[in-house]
Every structure is written in structure tokens, then in C-alpha cells.
Amino acid sequence: SLRKVIFSLRPLDLDDLGLVPAVKRFLNEFNKDGNLIVEFRFFGREQRYKSVIEVAVFRIIQEAVNNVVKHAKASTLEIVLETQKTVIAASIRDDGVGFGTEMVEKAGGFGLQGIKERTALLGGDIRISSLPGRGTEITVKIPVQEGEIYGVS
């Protein structure tokens, strides 16, 4: 359990291997019990980014996935991560209970608030779509400058 706590604070895979392998490992560890059908898709090139960017994107995905487990009552979860020349995009979608538009605008919980704040700190955009009975989708787009990319891992 101590290893789990340490990994959740700062996953070593993030430092050693980069964003994509760290997300893959998190999802594999997260879903060992198999209670949720988890699909991960990656598009683009596996590149290394400044640590602040990799940590923020990882934490956004981690918090969104944790929200699904805590609140959504979902049976399936889909995570799409895409790296392009000037942006990292992540989409987390579930088939859970969803919530109404007023909750999307408020996004008052610590989880959604943290996701919004991390996205804003990096100058990114966030879109939260949810309807009662139809699940939720969180999409973030984080801009990346040339000096923040360190090459293929």
C-alpha cells in the first residue's frame, strides 16, 4: 500500500519513461480488479515534455479517472491521449450516471476544480460535457511550445 501511495504522489514511470507509459501503467494498476472496462488509445509520437507539463497532464487524467470511480457508476471508461506538434489533448469519457448542465458550469468538486485549475495554469482549454443518464466527457487541450519538447522517448 505504501508503494501505491508513493506512485500516486509522483509516478516514477513519469520521470523515467514519460507521459504515455506512465498513463498506461496507472490504468493497468488502477483496473487490476477488472470492475470497469477501460480502453486507452494513444495517437501521435511518444515525446518527452517539460516535467511540469507531463505531471499536469498525468494528474488531469488521474483525477478524471478517480472521479469516474467515485461518482459515475460507469461500466466503461475510454481515455484518448493525443500529442501533436503544438498541443497535448486528453479525453476521458465514461458511460456513467452523468450530471446536469448546472453542475458542469459550477464544477464545484475538488476533482473537477483541480482539473480546471491545472488546465488553466498551462494556458489550456477544457470542455466538460455531461447529461444525466448519459455519462461524462472531459476534454483538455494543453498548448506546447517547441522548447518544451525533448524528443522521442
Side-chain angles (χ1 to χ4, degrees), residues 26-72:
F26 164 69
L27 293 173
N28 287 337
E29 290 293 317
F30 158 80
N31 199 34
K32 278 193 173 179
D33 60 7
N35 290 336
L36 188 64
I37 298 169
V38 178
E39 180 182 338
F40 175 72
R41 292 184 289 149
F42 171 70
F43 300 97
R45 289 179 40 186
E46 286 192 37
Q47 302 179 110
R48 296 303 310 263
Y49 300 91
K50 278 187 169 181
S51 179
V52 68
I53 294 172
E54 289 186 345
V55 169
V57 173
F58 181 86
R59 293 286 180 231
I60 288 167
I61 292 170
Q62 184 182 46
E63 188 57 47
V65 168
N66 287 334
N67 280 349
V68 170
V69 172
K70 289 179 191 172
H71 307 294

mmCIF file of all heavy atoms in Angstrom, residues 26-72:
data_model
loop_
_atom_site.group_PDB
_atom_site.id
_atom_site.type_symbol
_atom_site.label_atom_id
_atom_site.label_comp_id
_atom_site.label_asym_id
_atom_site.label_seq_id
_atom_site.Cartn_x
_atom_site.Cartn_y
_atom_site.Cartn_z
ATOM 1 N N PHE A 26 -0.567 3.447 -14.942
ATOM 2 C CA PHE A 26 -1.605 3.861 -13.999
ATOM 3 C C PHE A 26 -2.914 3.141 -14.301
ATOM 4 O O PHE A 26 -3.569 2.613 -13.397
ATOM 5 C CB PHE A 26 -1.804 5.375 -14.062
ATOM 6 C CG PHE A 26 -3.079 5.842 -13.428
ATOM 7 C CD1 PHE A 26 -3.268 5.762 -12.057
ATOM 8 C CD2 PHE A 26 -4.114 6.346 -14.201
ATOM 9 C CE1 PHE A 26 -4.457 6.180 -11.473
ATOM 10 C CE2 PHE A 26 -5.299 6.769 -13.629
ATOM 11 C CZ PHE A 26 -5.473 6.681 -12.257
ATOM 12 N N LEU A 27 -3.311 3.102 -15.565
ATOM 13 C CA LEU A 27 -4.575 2.461 -15.929
ATOM 14 C C LEU A 27 -4.535 0.955 -15.685
ATOM 15 O O LEU A 27 -5.534 0.374 -15.256
ATOM 16 C CB LEU A 27 -4.922 2.773 -17.385
ATOM 17 C CG LEU A 27 -5.241 4.242 -17.665
ATOM 18 C CD1 LEU A 27 -5.414 4.481 -19.159
ATOM 19 C CD2 LEU A 27 -6.464 4.701 -16.893
ATOM 20 N N ASN A 28 -3.389 0.322 -15.944
ATOM 21 C CA ASN A 28 -3.262 -1.112 -15.667
ATOM 22 C C ASN A 28 -3.355 -1.396 -14.168
ATOM 23 O O ASN A 28 -4.037 -2.327 -13.753
ATOM 24 C CB ASN A 28 -1.948 -1.659 -16.221
ATOM 25 C CG ASN A 28 -1.964 -1.778 -17.729
ATOM 26 O OD1 ASN A 28 -3.019 -1.866 -18.342
ATOM 27 N ND2 ASN A 28 -0.793 -1.763 -18.330
ATOM 28 N N GLU A 29 -2.668 -0.613 -13.360
ATOM 29 C CA GLU A 29 -2.713 -0.776 -11.905
ATOM 30 C C GLU A 29 -4.103 -0.463 -11.360
ATOM 31 O O GLU A 29 -4.617 -1.154 -10.496
ATOM 32 C CB GLU A 29 -1.682 0.133 -11.229
ATOM 33 C CG GLU A 29 -0.253 -0.277 -11.445
ATOM 34 C CD GLU A 29 0.082 -1.596 -10.766
ATOM 35 O OE1 GLU A 29 -0.335 -1.799 -9.612
ATOM 36 O OE2 GLU A 29 0.751 -2.425 -11.416
ATOM 37 N N PHE A 30 -4.675 0.589 -11.890
ATOM 38 C CA PHE A 30 -5.978 1.062 -11.458
ATOM 39 C C PHE A 30 -7.053 -0.005 -11.650
ATOM 40 O O PHE A 30 -7.924 -0.183 -10.825
ATOM 41 C CB PHE A 30 -6.313 2.331 -12.243
ATOM 42 C CG PHE A 30 -7.765 2.650 -12.315
ATOM 43 C CD1 PHE A 30 -8.401 3.265 -11.253
ATOM 44 C CD2 PHE A 30 -8.497 2.329 -13.444
ATOM 45 C CE1 PHE A 30 -9.743 3.549 -11.318
ATOM 46 C CE2 PHE A 30 -9.839 2.611 -13.508
ATOM 47 C CZ PHE A 30 -10.464 3.221 -12.446
ATOM 48 N N ASN A 31 -6.967 -0.730 -12.751
ATOM 49 C CA ASN A 31 -8.059 -1.636 -13.102
ATOM 50 C C ASN A 31 -7.689 -3.108 -12.939
ATOM 51 O O ASN A 31 -8.182 -3.953 -13.671
ATOM 52 C CB ASN A 31 -8.514 -1.360 -14.538
ATOM 53 C CG ASN A 31 -9.904 -1.927 -14.782
ATOM 54 O OD1 ASN A 31 -10.736 -1.937 -13.896
ATOM 55 N ND2 ASN A 31 -10.131 -2.408 -15.983
ATOM 56 N N LYS A 32 -6.868 -3.413 -11.962
ATOM 57 C CA LYS A 32 -6.498 -4.814 -11.744
ATOM 58 C C LYS A 32 -7.687 -5.683 -11.364
ATOM 59 O O LYS A 32 -7.726 -6.853 -11.683
ATOM 60 C CB LYS A 32 -5.404 -4.920 -10.690
ATOM 61 C CG LYS A 32 -4.043 -4.672 -11.260
ATOM 62 C CD LYS A 32 -2.972 -5.079 -10.296
ATOM 63 C CE LYS A 32 -1.639 -4.954 -11.015
ATOM 64 N NZ LYS A 32 -0.530 -5.299 -10.181
ATOM 65 N N ASP A 33 -8.671 -5.107 -10.691
ATOM 66 C CA ASP A 33 -9.830 -5.901 -10.287
ATOM 67 C C ASP A 33 -10.810 -6.117 -11.438
ATOM 68 O O ASP A 33 -11.668 -6.972 -11.361
ATOM 69 C CB ASP A 33 -10.544 -5.272 -9.094
ATOM 70 C CG ASP A 33 -11.065 -3.863 -9.376
ATOM 71 O OD1 ASP A 33 -10.995 -3.415 -10.541
ATOM 72 O OD2 ASP A 33 -11.530 -3.218 -8.424
ATOM 73 N N GLY A 34 -10.684 -5.359 -12.513
ATOM 74 C CA GLY A 34 -11.499 -5.567 -13.705
ATOM 75 C C GLY A 34 -12.952 -5.166 -13.571
ATOM 76 O O GLY A 34 -13.788 -5.602 -14.364
ATOM 77 N N ASN A 35 -13.294 -4.336 -12.591
ATOM 78 C CA ASN A 35 -14.686 -3.926 -12.405
ATOM 79 C C ASN A 35 -15.163 -2.956 -13.472
ATOM 80 O O ASN A 35 -16.356 -2.730 -13.608
ATOM 81 C CB ASN A 35 -14.870 -3.284 -11.021
ATOM 82 C CG ASN A 35 -14.762 -4.298 -9.918
ATOM 83 O OD1 ASN A 35 -14.987 -5.486 -10.122
ATOM 84 N ND2 ASN A 35 -14.405 -3.830 -8.742
ATOM 85 N N LEU A 36 -14.241 -2.379 -14.206
ATOM 86 C CA LEU A 36 -14.557 -1.370 -15.196
ATOM 87 C C LEU A 36 -13.834 -1.725 -16.489
ATOM 88 O O LEU A 36 -12.666 -2.103 -16.468
ATOM 89 C CB LEU A 36 -14.064 -0.010 -14.659
ATOM 90 C CG LEU A 36 -14.400 1.257 -15.383
ATOM 91 C CD1 LEU A 36 -15.911 1.511 -15.385
ATOM 92 C CD2 LEU A 36 -13.709 2.440 -14.702
ATOM 93 N N ILE A 37 -14.521 -1.631 -17.603
ATOM 94 C CA ILE A 37 -13.875 -1.848 -18.897
ATOM 95 C C ILE A 37 -13.153 -0.551 -19.253
ATOM 96 O O ILE A 37 -13.789 0.491 -19.411
ATOM 97 C CB ILE A 37 -14.899 -2.213 -19.986
ATOM 98 C CG1 ILE A 37 -15.588 -3.519 -19.628
ATOM 99 C CG2 ILE A 37 -14.219 -2.290 -21.353
ATOM 100 C CD1 ILE A 37 -16.795 -3.838 -20.488
ATOM 101 N N VAL A 38 -11.819 -0.610 -19.332
ATOM 102 C CA VAL A 38 -11.006 0.569 -19.593
ATOM 103 C C VAL A 38 -10.322 0.421 -20.945
ATOM 104 O O VAL A 38 -9.652 -0.582 -21.203
ATOM 105 C CB VAL A 38 -9.942 0.775 -18.497
ATOM 106 C CG1 VAL A 38 -9.080 1.985 -18.803
ATOM 107 C CG2 VAL A 38 -10.600 0.918 -17.134
ATOM 108 N N GLU A 39 -10.517 1.418 -21.794
ATOM 109 C CA GLU A 39 -9.869 1.436 -23.108
ATOM 110 C C GLU A 39 -8.979 2.668 -23.180
ATOM 111 O O GLU A 39 -9.429 3.786 -22.914
ATOM 112 C CB GLU A 39 -10.910 1.484 -24.217
ATOM 113 C CG GLU A 39 -10.292 1.496 -25.604
ATOM 114 C CD GLU A 39 -11.331 1.583 -26.710
ATOM 115 O OE1 GLU A 39 -12.500 1.233 -26.470
ATOM 116 O OE2 GLU A 39 -10.949 2.027 -27.809
ATOM 117 N N PHE A 40 -7.709 2.456 -23.522
ATOM 118 C CA PHE A 40 -6.771 3.555 -23.696
ATOM 119 C C PHE A 40 -6.287 3.567 -25.137
ATOM 120 O O PHE A 40 -5.884 2.536 -25.667
ATOM 121 C CB PHE A 40 -5.573 3.405 -22.751
ATOM 122 C CG PHE A 40 -4.511 4.452 -22.974
ATOM 123 C CD1 PHE A 40 -4.730 5.762 -22.588
ATOM 124 C CD2 PHE A 40 -3.302 4.123 -23.566
ATOM 125 C CE1 PHE A 40 -3.757 6.736 -22.799
ATOM 126 C CE2 PHE A 40 -2.322 5.080 -23.766
ATOM 127 C CZ PHE A 40 -2.546 6.391 -23.388
ATOM 128 N N ARG A 41 -6.375 4.733 -25.750
ATOM 129 C CA ARG A 41 -5.859 4.898 -27.115
ATOM 130 C C ARG A 41 -4.911 6.090 -27.138
ATOM 131 O O ARG A 41 -5.184 7.113 -26.506
ATOM 132 C CB ARG A 41 -6.995 5.112 -28.107
ATOM 133 C CG ARG A 41 -7.840 3.851 -28.271
ATOM 134 C CD ARG A 41 -8.902 3.984 -29.314
ATOM 135 N NE ARG A 41 -9.928 4.894 -28.801
ATOM 136 C CZ ARG A 41 -10.660 5.684 -29.565
ATOM 137 N NH1 ARG A 41 -10.524 5.691 -30.855
ATOM 138 N NH2 ARG A 41 -11.562 6.476 -29.029
ATOM 139 N N PHE A 42 -3.815 5.918 -27.867
ATOM 140 C CA PHE A 42 -2.836 6.986 -27.999
ATOM 141 C C PHE A 42 -2.590 7.261 -29.473
ATOM 142 O O PHE A 42 -2.433 6.337 -30.268
ATOM 143 C CB PHE A 42 -1.520 6.596 -27.304
ATOM 144 C CG PHE A 42 -0.415 7.564 -27.586
ATOM 145 C CD1 PHE A 42 -0.441 8.834 -27.047
ATOM 146 C CD2 PHE A 42 0.632 7.216 -28.420
ATOM 147 C CE1 PHE A 42 0.564 9.749 -27.326
ATOM 148 C CE2 PHE A 42 1.642 8.111 -28.702
ATOM 149 C CZ PHE A 42 1.606 9.381 -28.154
ATOM 150 N N PHE A 43 -2.539 8.552 -29.809
ATOM 151 C CA PHE A 43 -2.241 8.982 -31.168
ATOM 152 C C PHE A 43 -1.094 9.984 -31.119
ATOM 153 O O PHE A 43 -1.044 10.823 -30.223
ATOM 154 C CB PHE A 43 -3.467 9.653 -31.811
ATOM 155 C CG PHE A 43 -4.654 8.746 -31.889
ATOM 156 C CD1 PHE A 43 -5.650 8.804 -30.926
ATOM 157 C CD2 PHE A 43 -4.779 7.822 -32.912
ATOM 158 C CE1 PHE A 43 -6.749 7.968 -30.977
ATOM 159 C CE2 PHE A 43 -5.876 6.979 -32.975
ATOM 160 C CZ PHE A 43 -6.867 7.050 -32.015
ATOM 161 N N GLY A 44 -0.208 9.902 -32.073
ATOM 162 C CA GLY A 44 0.905 10.836 -32.141
ATOM 163 C C GLY A 44 2.218 10.128 -31.867
ATOM 164 O O GLY A 44 2.319 8.906 -31.963
ATOM 165 N N ARG A 45 3.226 10.916 -31.530
ATOM 166 C CA ARG A 45 4.548 10.375 -31.204
ATOM 167 C C ARG A 45 4.763 10.460 -29.703
ATOM 168 O O ARG A 45 4.401 11.447 -29.084
ATOM 169 C CB ARG A 45 5.635 11.207 -31.898
ATOM 170 C CG ARG A 45 5.653 10.989 -33.389
ATOM 171 C CD ARG A 45 6.707 11.821 -34.072
ATOM 172 N NE ARG A 45 7.949 11.856 -33.287
ATOM 173 C CZ ARG A 45 8.980 12.602 -33.594
ATOM 174 N NH1 ARG A 45 8.941 13.386 -34.632
ATOM 175 N NH2 ARG A 45 10.071 12.586 -32.856
ATOM 176 N N GLU A 46 5.374 9.411 -29.163
ATOM 177 C CA GLU A 46 5.731 9.457 -27.749
ATOM 178 C C GLU A 46 6.922 10.387 -27.618
ATOM 179 O O GLU A 46 8.004 10.089 -28.097
ATOM 180 C CB GLU A 46 6.064 8.063 -27.224
ATOM 181 C CG GLU A 46 4.846 7.213 -27.032
ATOM 182 C CD GLU A 46 5.147 5.948 -26.254
ATOM 183 O OE1 GLU A 46 5.969 5.992 -25.320
ATOM 184 O OE2 GLU A 46 4.553 4.922 -26.602
ATOM 185 N N GLN A 47 6.690 11.523 -26.996
ATOM 186 C CA GLN A 47 7.719 12.528 -26.815
ATOM 187 C C GLN A 47 7.838 12.838 -25.341
ATOM 188 O O GLN A 47 6.916 12.616 -24.567
ATOM 189 C CB GLN A 47 7.360 13.807 -27.573
ATOM 190 C CG GLN A 47 7.156 13.567 -29.052
ATOM 191 C CD GLN A 47 6.776 14.824 -29.788
ATOM 192 O OE1 GLN A 47 7.560 15.323 -30.547
ATOM 193 N NE2 GLN A 47 5.588 15.335 -29.549
ATOM 194 N N ARG A 48 8.963 13.394 -24.959
ATOM 195 C CA ARG A 48 9.149 13.875 -23.599
ATOM 196 C C ARG A 48 8.897 15.374 -23.586
ATOM 197 O O ARG A 48 9.267 16.081 -24.510
ATOM 198 C CB ARG A 48 10.572 13.593 -23.100
ATOM 199 C CG ARG A 48 10.921 12.119 -22.991
ATOM 200 C CD ARG A 48 9.977 11.332 -22.089
ATOM 201 N NE ARG A 48 9.739 11.900 -20.795
ATOM 202 C CZ ARG A 48 10.368 11.563 -19.680
ATOM 203 N NH1 ARG A 48 11.279 10.623 -19.696
ATOM 204 N NH2 ARG A 48 10.063 12.150 -18.539
ATOM 205 N N TYR A 49 8.257 15.822 -22.511
ATOM 206 C CA TYR A 49 7.928 17.231 -22.339
ATOM 207 C C TYR A 49 8.534 17.707 -21.031
ATOM 208 O O TYR A 49 8.936 16.903 -20.197
ATOM 209 C CB TYR A 49 6.408 17.419 -22.306
ATOM 210 C CG TYR A 49 5.732 16.957 -23.562
ATOM 211 C CD1 TYR A 49 5.265 15.658 -23.689
ATOM 212 C CD2 TYR A 49 5.569 17.826 -24.637
ATOM 213 C CE1 TYR A 49 4.655 15.230 -24.856
ATOM 214 C CE2 TYR A 49 4.951 17.403 -25.801
ATOM 215 C CZ TYR A 49 4.511 16.106 -25.906
ATOM 216 O OH TYR A 49 3.919 15.690 -27.058
ATOM 217 N N LYS A 50 8.531 19.003 -20.832
ATOM 218 C CA LYS A 50 8.945 19.538 -19.543
ATOM 219 C C LYS A 50 8.158 18.825 -18.450
ATOM 220 O O LYS A 50 6.971 18.526 -18.617
ATOM 221 C CB LYS A 50 8.671 21.043 -19.463
ATOM 222 C CG LYS A 50 9.705 21.894 -20.109
ATOM 223 C CD LYS A 50 9.408 23.347 -19.807
ATOM 224 C CE LYS A 50 10.555 24.220 -20.202
ATOM 225 N NZ LYS A 50 10.295 25.638 -19.900
ATOM 226 N N SER A 51 8.815 18.618 -17.326
ATOM 227 C CA SER A 51 8.195 17.881 -16.229
ATOM 228 C C SER A 51 6.864 18.481 -15.803
ATOM 229 O O SER A 51 5.901 17.752 -15.537
ATOM 230 C CB SER A 51 9.159 17.841 -15.043
ATOM 231 O OG SER A 51 8.572 17.166 -13.968
ATOM 232 N N VAL A 52 6.780 19.797 -15.732
ATOM 233 C CA VAL A 52 5.546 20.449 -15.287
ATOM 234 C C VAL A 52 4.365 20.090 -16.197
ATOM 235 O O VAL A 52 3.240 19.905 -15.729
ATOM 236 C CB VAL A 52 5.736 21.982 -15.162
ATOM 237 C CG1 VAL A 52 5.934 22.641 -16.513
ATOM 238 C CG2 VAL A 52 4.576 22.610 -14.422
ATOM 239 N N ILE A 53 4.619 19.944 -17.478
ATOM 240 C CA ILE A 53 3.557 19.580 -18.428
ATOM 241 C C ILE A 53 3.171 18.118 -18.246
ATOM 242 O O ILE A 53 1.986 17.785 -18.156
ATOM 243 C CB ILE A 53 4.005 19.854 -19.881
ATOM 244 C CG1 ILE A 53 4.168 21.362 -20.084
ATOM 245 C CG2 ILE A 53 3.013 19.269 -20.881
ATOM 246 C CD1 ILE A 53 4.793 21.733 -21.422
ATOM 247 N N GLU A 54 4.165 17.232 -18.187
ATOM 248 C CA GLU A 54 3.868 15.806 -18.027
ATOM 249 C C GLU A 54 3.116 15.531 -16.732
ATOM 250 O O GLU A 54 2.146 14.777 -16.722
ATOM 251 C CB GLU A 54 5.157 14.989 -18.086
ATOM 252 C CG GLU A 54 5.764 14.937 -19.471
ATOM 253 C CD GLU A 54 6.961 14.007 -19.572
ATOM 254 O OE1 GLU A 54 7.519 13.593 -18.527
ATOM 255 O OE2 GLU A 54 7.344 13.689 -20.711
ATOM 256 N N VAL A 55 3.553 16.149 -15.651
ATOM 257 C CA VAL A 55 2.885 15.935 -14.369
ATOM 258 C C VAL A 55 1.448 16.447 -14.420
ATOM 259 O O VAL A 55 0.522 15.765 -13.971
ATOM 260 C CB VAL A 55 3.667 16.603 -13.212
ATOM 261 C CG1 VAL A 55 2.849 16.610 -11.932
ATOM 262 C CG2 VAL A 55 4.995 15.897 -12.987
ATOM 263 N N ALA A 56 1.239 17.628 -14.979
ATOM 264 C CA ALA A 56 -0.112 18.204 -15.030
ATOM 265 C C ALA A 56 -1.055 17.338 -15.865
ATOM 266 O O ALA A 56 -2.178 17.059 -15.441
ATOM 267 C CB ALA A 56 -0.066 19.623 -15.582
ATOM 268 N N VAL A 57 -0.618 16.907 -17.038
ATOM 269 C CA VAL A 57 -1.486 16.082 -17.897
ATOM 270 C C VAL A 57 -1.769 14.747 -17.209
ATOM 271 O O VAL A 57 -2.914 14.271 -17.200
ATOM 272 C CB VAL A 57 -0.870 15.892 -19.297
ATOM 273 C CG1 VAL A 57 -1.683 14.901 -20.117
ATOM 274 C CG2 VAL A 57 -0.771 17.230 -20.032
ATOM 275 N N PHE A 58 -0.743 14.155 -16.606
ATOM 276 C CA PHE A 58 -0.952 12.907 -15.871
ATOM 277 C C PHE A 58 -1.971 13.099 -14.753
ATOM 278 O O PHE A 58 -2.892 12.297 -14.597
ATOM 279 C CB PHE A 58 0.372 12.396 -15.291
ATOM 280 C CG PHE A 58 0.226 11.105 -14.544
ATOM 281 C CD1 PHE A 58 0.280 9.894 -15.221
ATOM 282 C CD2 PHE A 58 0.008 11.096 -13.177
ATOM 283 C CE1 PHE A 58 0.134 8.699 -14.536
ATOM 284 C CE2 PHE A 58 -0.146 9.909 -12.478
ATOM 285 C CZ PHE A 58 -0.085 8.703 -13.160
ATOM 286 N N ARG A 59 -1.821 14.146 -13.970
ATOM 287 C CA ARG A 59 -2.734 14.413 -12.853
ATOM 288 C C ARG A 59 -4.162 14.680 -13.325
ATOM 289 O O ARG A 59 -5.127 14.289 -12.665
ATOM 290 C CB ARG A 59 -2.254 15.591 -12.011
ATOM 291 C CG ARG A 59 -0.996 15.319 -11.270
ATOM 292 C CD ARG A 59 -1.273 14.392 -10.100
ATOM 293 N NE ARG A 59 -0.032 14.128 -9.393
ATOM 294 C CZ ARG A 59 0.412 12.923 -9.081
ATOM 295 N NH1 ARG A 59 -0.294 11.869 -9.399
ATOM 296 N NH2 ARG A 59 1.541 12.759 -8.452
ATOM 297 N N ILE A 60 -4.301 15.366 -14.446
ATOM 298 C CA ILE A 60 -5.635 15.603 -15.013
ATOM 299 C C ILE A 60 -6.309 14.273 -15.336
ATOM 300 O O ILE A 60 -7.467 14.030 -14.973
ATOM 301 C CB ILE A 60 -5.544 16.515 -16.249
ATOM 302 C CG1 ILE A 60 -5.215 17.951 -15.816
ATOM 303 C CG2 ILE A 60 -6.825 16.464 -17.076
ATOM 304 C CD1 ILE A 60 -4.799 18.873 -16.953
ATOM 305 N N ILE A 61 -5.580 13.403 -16.012
ATOM 306 C CA ILE A 61 -6.134 12.088 -16.365
ATOM 307 C C ILE A 61 -6.430 11.294 -15.099
ATOM 308 O O ILE A 61 -7.510 10.712 -14.953
ATOM 309 C CB ILE A 61 -5.174 11.323 -17.295
ATOM 310 C CG1 ILE A 61 -5.108 12.032 -18.657
ATOM 311 C CG2 ILE A 61 -5.604 9.865 -17.447
ATOM 312 C CD1 ILE A 61 -4.023 11.516 -19.578
ATOM 313 N N GLN A 62 -5.497 11.301 -14.161
ATOM 314 C CA GLN A 62 -5.663 10.559 -12.912
ATOM 315 C C GLN A 62 -6.900 11.037 -12.147
ATOM 316 O O GLN A 62 -7.706 10.223 -11.678
ATOM 317 C CB GLN A 62 -4.406 10.735 -12.062
ATOM 318 C CG GLN A 62 -4.410 9.950 -10.783
ATOM 319 C CD GLN A 62 -3.144 10.212 -9.981
ATOM 320 O OE1 GLN A 62 -2.731 11.361 -9.825
ATOM 321 N NE2 GLN A 62 -2.518 9.159 -9.478
ATOM 322 N N GLU A 63 -7.071 12.335 -12.037
ATOM 323 C CA GLU A 63 -8.215 12.866 -11.290
ATOM 324 C C GLU A 63 -9.532 12.564 -11.999
ATOM 325 O O GLU A 63 -10.529 12.221 -11.367
ATOM 326 C CB GLU A 63 -8.069 14.366 -11.066
ATOM 327 C CG GLU A 63 -9.123 14.931 -10.144
ATOM 328 C CD GLU A 63 -9.159 14.269 -8.768
ATOM 329 O OE1 GLU A 63 -8.096 14.092 -8.157
ATOM 330 O OE2 GLU A 63 -10.274 13.921 -8.312
ATOM 331 N N ALA A 64 -9.546 12.679 -13.321
ATOM 332 C CA ALA A 64 -10.767 12.376 -14.073
ATOM 333 C C ALA A 64 -11.152 10.902 -13.904
ATOM 334 O O ALA A 64 -12.326 10.581 -13.695
ATOM 335 C CB ALA A 64 -10.573 12.728 -15.546
ATOM 336 N N VAL A 65 -10.169 10.016 -13.963
ATOM 337 C CA VAL A 65 -10.431 8.583 -13.771
ATOM 338 C C VAL A 65 -10.932 8.321 -12.345
ATOM 339 O O VAL A 65 -11.892 7.576 -12.147
ATOM 340 C CB VAL A 65 -9.162 7.755 -14.087
ATOM 341 C CG1 VAL A 65 -9.313 6.313 -13.627
ATOM 342 C CG2 VAL A 65 -8.855 7.813 -15.583
ATOM 343 N N ASN A 66 -10.301 8.942 -11.362
ATOM 344 C CA ASN A 66 -10.757 8.776 -9.977
ATOM 345 C C ASN A 66 -12.186 9.282 -9.798
ATOM 346 O O ASN A 66 -12.972 8.680 -9.056
ATOM 347 C CB ASN A 66 -9.812 9.483 -9.011
ATOM 348 C CG ASN A 66 -8.494 8.755 -8.854
ATOM 349 O OD1 ASN A 66 -8.412 7.540 -9.045
ATOM 350 N ND2 ASN A 66 -7.451 9.487 -8.530
ATOM 351 N N ASN A 67 -12.546 10.375 -10.470
ATOM 352 C CA ASN A 67 -13.919 10.873 -10.409
ATOM 353 C C ASN A 67 -14.906 9.859 -10.966
ATOM 354 O O ASN A 67 -16.012 9.701 -10.441
ATOM 355 C CB ASN A 67 -14.057 12.193 -11.173
ATOM 356 C CG ASN A 67 -13.578 13.383 -10.379
ATOM 357 O OD1 ASN A 67 -13.313 13.294 -9.186
ATOM 358 N ND2 ASN A 67 -13.452 14.512 -11.048
ATOM 359 N N VAL A 68 -14.519 9.189 -12.043
ATOM 360 C CA VAL A 68 -15.393 8.169 -12.625
ATOM 361 C C VAL A 68 -15.662 7.075 -11.596
ATOM 362 O O VAL A 68 -16.804 6.667 -11.386
ATOM 363 C CB VAL A 68 -14.776 7.575 -13.915
ATOM 364 C CG1 VAL A 68 -15.556 6.360 -14.390
ATOM 365 C CG2 VAL A 68 -14.711 8.636 -15.007
ATOM 366 N N VAL A 69 -14.609 6.625 -10.935
ATOM 367 C CA VAL A 69 -14.758 5.552 -9.944
ATOM 368 C C VAL A 69 -15.615 6.006 -8.771
ATOM 369 O O VAL A 69 -16.481 5.272 -8.310
ATOM 370 C CB VAL A 69 -13.366 5.083 -9.458
ATOM 371 C CG1 VAL A 69 -13.491 4.117 -8.293
ATOM 372 C CG2 VAL A 69 -12.611 4.445 -10.599
ATOM 373 N N LYS A 70 -15.391 7.219 -8.294
ATOM 374 C CA LYS A 70 -16.102 7.711 -7.110
ATOM 375 C C LYS A 70 -17.562 8.043 -7.370
ATOM 376 O O LYS A 70 -18.416 7.839 -6.516
ATOM 377 C CB LYS A 70 -15.424 8.975 -6.577
ATOM 378 C CG LYS A 70 -14.097 8.748 -5.926
ATOM 379 C CD LYS A 70 -13.533 10.091 -5.475
ATOM 380 C CE LYS A 70 -12.094 9.982 -5.060
ATOM 381 N NZ LYS A 70 -11.490 11.289 -4.802
ATOM 382 N N HIS A 71 -17.859 8.587 -8.552
ATOM 383 C CA HIS A 71 -19.178 9.186 -8.743
ATOM 384 C C HIS A 71 -20.011 8.637 -9.900
ATOM 385 O O HIS A 71 -21.224 8.728 -9.854
ATOM 386 C CB HIS A 71 -19.025 10.703 -8.967
ATOM 387 C CG HIS A 71 -18.234 11.392 -7.917
ATOM 388 N ND1 HIS A 71 -18.660 11.508 -6.604
ATOM 389 C CD2 HIS A 71 -17.020 12.002 -7.975
ATOM 390 C CE1 HIS A 71 -17.752 12.156 -5.907
ATOM 391 N NE2 HIS A 71 -16.746 12.465 -6.698
ATOM 392 N N ALA A 72 -19.379 8.127 -10.942
ATOM 393 C CA ALA A 72 -20.092 7.893 -12.199
ATOM 394 C C ALA A 72 -20.931 6.621 -12.248
ATOM 395 O O ALA A 72 -21.869 6.543 -13.022
ATOM 396 C CB ALA A 72 -19.111 7.894 -13.369
#
